[in-house]
Amino acid sequence: MSKNVDKIPYKIYLEESEMPKAWYNVRSDMKNKPAPLLNPGTHEPMKAEELAGVFCDELIKQELDNDTPYIPIPDDILNFYKMYRPSPLVRAYCLEEKLDTPAKIYYKFEGNNTSGSHKLNSAIAQAYYAKKQGLKGVTTETGAGQWGTALSMACAYLGLDCKVYMVKVSYEQKPFRREVMRTYGASVTPSPSMETAVGRKILAEHPGTTGSLGCAISEAVEVATSTEGYRYVLGSVLNQVLLHQSIIGLETKAALDKYGIKADMIIGCAGGGSNLGGLISPFMGEKLRGEADYRIIAVEPRSCPSFTRGRYAYDFCDTGMVCPLAKMYTLGSNFIPAPNHAGGLRYHGMSPVLSQLYADGLMEAVAVKQTDVFEAAETFARVEGILPAPESSHAIKVAIDEALKCKETGEEKTIVFGLTGTGYFDMVAYEKFHDGKMENYVPTDEELEKSFQLLPKMD
Amino acid sequence: MSKNVDKIPYKIYLEESEMPKAWYNVRSDMKNKPAPLLNPGTHEPMKAEELAGVFCDELIKQELDNDTPYIPIPDDILNFYKMYRPSPLVRAYCLEEKLDTPAKIYYKFEGNNTSGSHKLNSAIAQAYYAKKQGLKGVTTETGAGQWGTALSMACAYLGLDCKVYMVKVSYEQKPFRREVMRTYGASVTPSPSMETAVGRKILAEHPGTTGSLGCAISEAVEVATSTEGYRYVLGSVLNQVLLHQSIIGLETKAALDKYGIKADMIIGCAGGGSNLGGLISPFMGEKLRGEADYRIIAVEPRSCPSFTRGRYAYDFCDTGMVCPLAKMYTLGSNFIPAPNHAGGLRYHGMSPVLSQLYADGLMEAVAVKQTDVFEAAETFARVEGILPAPESSHAIKVAIDEALKCKETGEEKTIVFGLTGTGYFDMVAYEKFHDGKMENYVPTDEELEKSFQLLPKMD
């Protein structure tokens, strides 16, 4: 049995009065700004007016603003944040003891809300600006359902209509997430559906299809642009999403500062980049301004290795190729990741902001094996009590690896990682792991090469 | 959109240094002590030595101790508590606004840990004393799986073996809970099994049976009493469990006191009584000592109305009739509650402590309709963000009713209720509710009368 006594508490909670009042825009400190979104027809940078039919006006401003360092968080959003924030920064005393490491490990836990992840931080912001613009509702797509759940919660709170297009195979195989969204009053439609032109077209061509994220995006965008008073919202990749998610990093930094703790490395999982981008923002800001140095590590699955094996190039954000082109680390918009239980990390591309930072050598990336991730998840769950989401467990895996390196060298490094969410709806994956039926997919070089050949030709 | 500004924060968190260091034993302040457990053969009070083959020694002492007011919480348990406690006391500003009530509503949220409920508070205590006694492991039964999950987490932390007998129908229909337990290293056996004499007997007599809680208890007790180094543990009803759960009420009271708030009423759901008993303990103590007055309200489902329609009599705690007799409000150990989605409230009996307090007129009880409960759950989820467990939602329903009464009378009453857990594993029930397929079962007088006739005959 353990005896854990230290001056740092197990959980560092900020007071409400210590909560950040503004989001931090890391782009303002970047010398090399992220490349602009391009119109897929003209290859010219997208203008605000071109985006206005799809996105809310205020969000477009945030999307295109590379200069303003701090953007005040409106009071109504702050009040919503107070329902589930500040989230705890936890000192992983029990994990440290289990690993017998001199390293000090902290994790920022974003799973203590019903959506089960950090997604709610941006969902409420996007819903708020839609409401403020006088819109009736928003549309979105969802795969595994975390983003859809978060958006449903935000819309229920604000009295905004929410239409979610859920990939049909998930709609049928993940009925629990669907019911959570319905509890929050969202309409959830299996995609492809007969409600949209693109859905009807796809169903006519492929009557038995179980859908894809690309198709769901196309349906959600079609409904948003063709319905009076609706706009489309997205849960990751975009600059605006990273801006909202900076609340994670700002709280983390405030909690560390409160106890005079200096982090040596910041670790986060990376799918589209919303969590990682938010977590690292203020630390990266210090690094960009030359005020402090940190190792910053993105962790991705070997089955979908955008950073570690992707190309830094302009590509489509969706498989339907209807969205603007973004310059990012990408596996190609036609790349279909093999079955992987971390649904949130199965995106072919990566946030343009993080892509630029990675290209500039300001952060590292590592790709990990799925069974190793679940082994780390189980170790963590048993000593720290929290059942982690598979996505989050990628960060756990690398945090454990780094802590074990400290054990070898005797260094007392301070490791901070993002625990983005809980795994309650991922027990099928855990079951496969327990039963020894989990496989480790890795795309071949040939597969990737084939996918790269379909990248859009730029002048 | 809302504007919630007030001096009381949305969430009151105690500092670690403000956490209770001892459990409070409400029996010490009761003039009429709860009736003792009786030996089912002799009808004599059970002695410590008779219980020693089933329970751990220290827990037996706690079970029989009606006098000590405060029992110190061992440091190792305090450290474990620090991983997920103190739990927040939340001011339900958004619910108040939605109801447009002058009432002030607070809820103590116990769902912010992976077991998803308050059960962990007693699981860690029971596992700790088993470990301290040098035992190898513990056995228990579980229905829906909340208690089994909590016990698995506690045992994983302490390196204690954990054998869970899970009612077969739940094992098959609720695979997610089962997998959470496996993640924490527990062995989970569908009951009835071929591993025990009683399991083999039942399977021979009823080859197709899907099991029952009564059978699972019998198997867990048989394994505990026939295996070297094992004892049996139970998640509710017992005095020791209420003692451990007093941490809920002590924290609640400390948080209220910190802001000078005086509660008018305390509301909690009641199945076996572990949550309600823990939540009300310190408030009931003040009431018993004549220091303060509170309305204390137990909420139960109409489908299993132990308090409101049961008899106060000695009865078996299990359907297998192998456990000691307890004097309690009971529907009869043969009473099989009709299908009800609040699995944790489907117990035929009630904590002997709460039964005595209710018999003495120190608390009230109310039985509510299942569809009303889910309606309250949905209202709550949409404004407060948390997806409540069906069990907890019984308390929400009555808290809302009381807040609406305040709206009529204009009274600014302070309502405190216990939100025992989250509903992530209850989405099948929510789905039935959304689809209008949820039924409201109420036992007939004839059914209950028939069940009462089988109560054990006492001299």
Side-chain angles (χ1 to χ4, degrees), chain A residues 404-425:
Chain A
L404 290 176
K405 282 184 205 162
C406 288
K407 186 179 176 177
E408 280 177 33
T409 62
E411 289 174 290
E412 290 190 23
K413 287 194 176 156
T414 295
I415 300 169
V416 175
F417 72 90
L419 190 71
T420 53
T422 49
Y424 299 118
F425 294 106

Side-chain angles (χ1 to χ4, degrees), chain A residues 1-5 8-11 13 15-16 75-76 79-86 90 94 109 111-116 128 131-132 153 156-158 175-186 258-259 377-378 380-388 422 424-428 430-432 434-435, chain B residues 1-5 8-11 13 15-16 75-76 79-86 88 90 94 109 111-116 128 131-132 153 156-158 175-186 259 377-378 380-388 422 424-428 430-432 434-435:
Chain A
M1 279 180 264
S2 61
K3 44 176 169 46
N4 299 308
V5 186
I8 310 290
Y10 278 63
K11 296 189 295 309
Y13 277 109
E15 302 288 327
E16 267 183 28
D75 280 347
D76 286 321
N79 282 336
F80 187 87
Y81 279 167
K82 285 179 193 167
M83 292 205 320
Y84 70 101
R85 308 201 68 84
V90 186
C94 301
F109 180 44
N112 261 358
N113 72 73
T114 287
S115 79
Y128 167 81
K131 180 82 181 177
K132 203 179 157 208
M153 288 178 66
Y157 180 77
L158 295 169
F176 289 2
R177 281 265 186 220
R178 179 187 79 204
E179 290 307 321
V180 179
M181 289 185 260
R182 288 178 75 196
T183 300
Y184 286 97
K258 192 171 172 174
Y259 285 87
E378 201 159 273
F380 180 83
R382 290 188 186 182
V383 291
E384 289 291 321
I386 295 170
L387 183 79
T422 49
Y424 299 118
F425 294 106
D426 300 290
M427 294 320 295
V428 171
Y430 274 94
E431 184 174 10
K432 281 200 177 162
H434 296 149
D435 293 342
Chain B
M1 279 180 263
S2 60
K3 45 175 170 44
N4 300 307
V5 185
I8 310 292
Y10 278 63
K11 297 189 295 310
Y13 278 108
E15 301 288 327
E16 268 183 27
D75 280 347
D76 285 321
N79 282 337
F80 187 88
Y81 279 168
K82 285 178 193 167
M83 291 204 319
Y84 70 101
R85 308 200 67 83
V90 185
C94 301
F109 181 44
N112 262 359
N113 71 75
T114 287
S115 79
Y128 167 81
K131 181 82 180 177
K132 204 181 156 202
M153 288 177 65
Y157 180 78
L158 295 168
F176 288 3
R177 280 266 186 221
R178 180 187 79 207
E179 289 307 321
V180 178
M181 290 184 260
R182 288 178 76 195
T183 300
Y184 286 97
Y259 285 88
E378 200 159 274
F380 180 84
R382 291 188 185 183
V383 291
E384 289 291 320
I386 296 172
L387 183 78
T422 49
Y424 300 119
F425 294 108
D426 300 290
M427 294 321 296
V428 171
Y430 273 94
E431 183 174 10
K432 281 200 177 163
H434 295 148
D435 293 342

Side-chain angles (χ1 to χ4, degrees), chain B residues 59-372:
Chain B
L59 293 168
I60 295 169
K61 268 167 67 178
Q62 294 179 356
E63 189 66 27
L64 301 177
D65 184 346
N66 285 341
D67 304 309
T68 312
Y70 286 95
I71 295 179
I73 306 173
D75 280 347
D76 285 321
I77 299 178
L78 276 177
N79 282 337
F80 187 88
Y81 279 168
K82 285 178 193 167
M83 291 204 319
Y84 70 101
R85 308 200 67 83
S87 71
L89 180 71
V90 185
R91 173 75 183 267
Y93 283 117
C94 301
L95 181 61
E96 291 170 19
E97 186 177 312
K98 168 83 179 171
L99 301 176
D100 189 21
T101 175
K104 297 177 192 326
I105 308 174
Y106 294 85
Y107 55 91
K108 180 69 169 169
F109 181 44
E110 291 288 317
N112 262 359
N113 71 75
T114 287
S115 79
S117 81
H118 65 292
K119 294 282 181 185
L120 198 53
N121 301 330
S122 186
I124 184 62
Q126 296 192 48
Y128 167 81
Y129 290 116
K131 181 82 180 177
K132 204 181 156 202
Q133 194 174 321
L135 297 175
K136 287 183 204 150
V138 291
T139 71
T140 200
E141 77 292 331
T142 201
Q146 262 177 337
W147 166 246
T149 306
L151 189 67
S152 306
M153 288 177 65
C155 288
Y157 180 78
L158 295 168
L160 202 63
D161 188 39
C162 180
K163 294 182 194 296
V164 180
Y165 289 84
M166 187 171 187
V167 178
K168 191 182 274 177
V169 61
S170 299
Y171 182 91
E172 286 164 359
Q173 293 184 356
K174 297 209 165 184
F176 288 3
R177 280 266 186 221
R178 180 187 79 207
E179 289 307 321
V180 178
M181 290 184 260
R182 288 178 76 195
T183 300
Y184 286 97
S187 78
V188 187
T189 307
S191 168
S193 77
M194 294 299 283
E195 287 182 9
T196 64
V198 65
R200 289 188 292 273
K201 180 161 175 283
I202 290 169
L203 282 171
E205 287 168 8
H206 310 279
T209 182
T210 55
S212 72
L213 208 51
C215 168
I217 293 178
S218 303
E219 289 203 83
V221 171
E222 178 184 322
V223 171
T225 52
S226 64
T227 313
E228 179 72 26
Y230 282 76
R231 291 294 184 282
Y232 169 74
V233 297
L234 183 64
S236 191
V237 183
L238 298 175
N239 298 342
Q240 60 186 268
V241 178
L242 265 72
L243 174 73
H244 306 147
Q245 295 295 358
S246 70
I247 188 83
I248 305 173
L250 292 165
E251 280 186 12
T252 302
K253 186 140 184 1
L256 291 172
D257 288 349
K258 191 170 174 177
Y259 285 88
I261 304 157
K262 163 73 173 63
D264 291 300
M265 65 189 92
I266 320 284
I267 301 168
C269 62
S274 72
N275 152 67
L276 181 70
L279 172 66
I280 69 170
S281 276
F283 301 97
M284 184 60 86
E286 288 190 309
K287 192 165 170 168
L288 289 163
R289 296 190 302 272
E291 295 165 8
D293 196 21
Y294 302 98
R295 276 184 70 197
I296 292 177
I297 309 173
V299 191
E300 57 186 17
R302 285 199 187 159
S303 58
C304 194
S306 319
F307 270 134
T308 50
R309 296 177 67 198
R311 292 273 169 85
Y312 188 36
Y314 266 106
D315 196 7
F316 289 96
C317 293
D318 62 320
T319 39
M321 301 187 180
V322 299
C323 294
L325 298 173
K327 190 174 178 192
M328 56 186 177
Y329 281 85
T330 177
L331 300 166
S333 66
N334 278 279
F335 178 77
I336 307 286
N340 179 302
H341 297 294
L345 304 182
R346 292 187 69 207
Y347 185 64
H348 69 276
M350 183 55 65
S351 141
V353 169
L354 293 183
S355 294
Q356 185 63 51
L357 292 167
Y358 184 64
D360 289 342
L362 289 156
M363 51 185 281
E364 309 163 36
V366 54
V368 292
K369 216 164 84 174
Q370 179 154 253
T371 46
D372 289 349

Side-chain angles (χ1 to χ4, degrees), chain A residues 71-279:
Chain A
I71 295 178
I73 306 174
D75 280 347
D76 286 321
I77 298 177
L78 276 177
N79 282 336
F80 187 87
Y81 279 167
K82 285 179 193 167
M83 292 205 320
Y84 70 101
R85 308 201 68 84
S87 72
L89 181 71
V90 186
R91 173 73 184 268
Y93 282 118
C94 301
L95 181 62
E96 290 170 18
E97 187 176 311
K98 168 83 179 172
L99 301 176
D100 190 21
T101 173
K104 298 178 193 325
I105 309 174
Y106 295 85
Y107 56 92
K108 181 70 169 168
F109 180 44
E110 291 288 317
N112 261 358
N113 72 73
T114 287
S115 79
S117 82
H118 66 290
K119 294 281 181 185
L120 198 52
N121 302 331
S122 185
I124 184 61
Q126 296 192 47
Y128 167 81
Y129 290 116
K131 180 82 181 177
K132 203 179 157 208
Q133 194 174 322
L135 298 176
K136 287 182 202 151
V138 291
T139 72
T140 200
E141 76 293 330
T142 200
Q146 262 176 338
W147 166 246
T149 306
L151 190 66
S152 305
M153 288 178 66
C155 288
Y157 180 77
L158 295 169
L160 203 63
D161 188 40
C162 180
K163 294 182 193 297
V164 180
Y165 290 83
M166 186 171 189
V167 177
K168 190 182 275 176
V169 62
S170 299
Y171 182 91
E172 285 164 0
Q173 293 184 357
K174 297 208 166 185
F176 289 2
R177 281 265 186 220
R178 179 187 79 204
E179 290 307 321
V180 179
M181 289 185 260
R182 288 178 75 196
T183 300
Y184 286 97
S187 79
V188 187
T189 306
S191 168
S193 76
M194 293 299 282
E195 287 182 10
T196 63
V198 65
R200 287 189 293 272
K201 180 162 176 283
I202 290 168
L203 283 171
E205 287 169 7
H206 311 279
T209 181
T210 55
S212 72
L213 208 51
C215 169
I217 293 178
S218 303
E219 289 204 85
V221 171
E222 178 185 323
V223 171
T225 51
S226 63
T227 312
E228 178 73 26
Y230 281 76
R231 291 295 185 281
Y232 168 74
V233 296
L234 182 66
S236 191
V237 183
L238 297 175
N239 298 343
Q240 60 186 265
V241 177
L242 266 73
L243 174 73
H244 307 146
Q245 295 296 356
S246 70
I247 188 83
I248 305 172
L250 291 165
E251 281 187 10
T252 302
K253 186 140 185 1
L256 292 171
D257 288 349
K258 192 171 172 174
Y259 285 87
I261 304 157
K262 164 71 172 66
D264 291 300
M265 64 190 92
I266 320 283
I267 301 169
C269 61
S274 73
N275 152 68
L276 181 71
L279 173 66

